[in-house]
């Protein structure tokens, strides 16, 4: 009985959830409707390896197997799973991340974990364009599902929840919590 009263009291006095559930869902369709020119749909006739940043912000939808082809031609590469609203110390600004990778001769590929027009509608000074995961291909709008499928396509395994995936000559070396944990020698 005390439990029911406690539950009722919590329900009546509970806080409202404000904002969205960024990170739980992709929000691709909502963001794409609001800013259709920002997103470039997946095209099987275009190699994502040949894409270069433009003068205007663009997010290119891709699949793990297509991005893996780019990694096969890179001596050292990092795929950074970018949480646009992430404020953790694991999440550093893209400009700083690009500088750190350049200093170690590592190709950087930024892949958005979910879609956010406010953060994505910016022309980041990156060597490669920002990529977004083709959620329709992975048949889910739930981040955990499409992200695990994407990472499996890249690595051939299910990796721990780390943001930095490191590759040497196309082979997956490991997943890291921080960019500075990667020893690229």
């Amino acid at each position: 009985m005390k439990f029911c009263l406690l539950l009722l009291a919590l329900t009546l006095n509970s806080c409202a959830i404000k904002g969205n559930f960024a990170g739980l869902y992709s929000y691709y369709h909502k963001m794409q409707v609001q800013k259709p020119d920002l997103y470039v749909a997946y095209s099987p006739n275009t190699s994502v390896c040949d894409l270069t940043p433009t003068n205007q912000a663009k997010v290119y939808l891709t699949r793990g197997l297509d991005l893996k082809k780019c990694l096969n031609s890179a001596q050292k590469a990092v795929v950074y799973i970018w949480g646009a609203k992430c404020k953790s110390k694991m999440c550093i600004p893209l400009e700083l991340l690009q500088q750190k990778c350049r200093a170690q001769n590592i190709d950087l590929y930024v892949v958005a974990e979910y879609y956010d027009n406010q953060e994505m509608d910016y022309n980041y000074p990156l060597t490669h364009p920002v990529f977004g995961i083709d959620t329709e291909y992975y048949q889910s709008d739930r981040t955990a599902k499409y992200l695990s499928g994407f990472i499996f396509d890249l690595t051939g395994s299910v990796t721990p929840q780390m943001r930095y995936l490191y590759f040497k000559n196309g082979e997956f070396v490991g997943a890291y919590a921080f960019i500075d944990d990667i020893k690229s020698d």
Side-chain angles (χ1 to χ4, degrees):
M1 183 68 169
K2 286 182 183 180
F3 177 75
C4 290
L5 289 174
L6 180 62
L7 186 59
L8 181 61
L10 287 174
T11 303
L12 294 175
N13 292 319
S14 66
C15 298
I17 296 173
K18 297 188 191 261
N20 62 26
F21 293 95
L24 295 178
Y25 298 98
S26 78
Y27 293 102
Y28 171 69
H29 295 289
K30 179 181 178 183
M31 297 295 117
Q32 198 275 336
V33 166
Q34 291 175 358
K35 240 68 191 120
D37 293 343
L38 180 59
Y39 301 99
V40 180
Y42 172 79
S43 170
N45 300 326
T46 303
S47 169
V48 296
C49 304
D50 297 333
L51 297 173
T52 56
T54 63
N55 293 334
Q56 167 179 352
K58 294 285 181 192
V59 177
Y60 295 89
L61 275 60
T62 191
R63 302 165 179 184
L65 293 174
D66 292 316
L67 186 57
K68 183 152 178 59
K69 293 174 188 173
C70 306
L71 303 175
N72 289 335
S73 63
Q75 187 177 13
K76 297 183 284 186
V78 166
V79 174
Y80 174 56
I81 306 301
W82 177 45
K85 298 266 189 208
C86 179
K87 302 297 181 208
S88 160
K89 60 184 175 179
M90 288 187 297
C91 304
I92 61 175
L94 296 183
E95 296 91 339
L96 180 59
L97 181 58
Q98 182 66 73
Q99 289 174 0
K100 286 178 174 260
C101 287
R102 275 195 188 117
Q104 294 186 42
N105 293 317
I106 297 174
D107 282 334
L108 172 64
Y109 293 90
V110 175
V111 177
E113 182 178 20
Y114 52 86
Y115 295 88
D116 182 287
N117 288 347
Q118 184 179 353
E119 297 294 324
M120 293 177 154
D121 194 13
Y122 179 77
N123 198 14
Y124 293 98
L126 302 172
T127 304
H128 301 286
V130 173
F131 294 101
I133 299 171
D134 183 354
T135 59
E136 289 183 10
Y137 174 77
Y138 293 102
Q139 300 178 351
S140 180
D141 195 46
R142 287 184 31 248
T143 305
K145 183 172 181 184
Y146 65 75
L147 186 58
S148 65
F150 182 84
I151 290 173
F152 182 82
D153 286 350
L154 277 179
T155 66
S157 65
V158 177
T159 60
Q161 294 295 323
M162 304 289 181
R163 293 201 175 272
Y164 302 92
L165 308 175
Y166 182 54
F167 296 82
K168 274 189 175 179
N169 300 313
E171 295 296 317
F172 176 62
V173 175
Y176 299 88
F178 300 96
I179 188 69
D180 294 330
D181 292 342
I182 298 173
K183 307 296 181 231
S184 66
D185 356 70

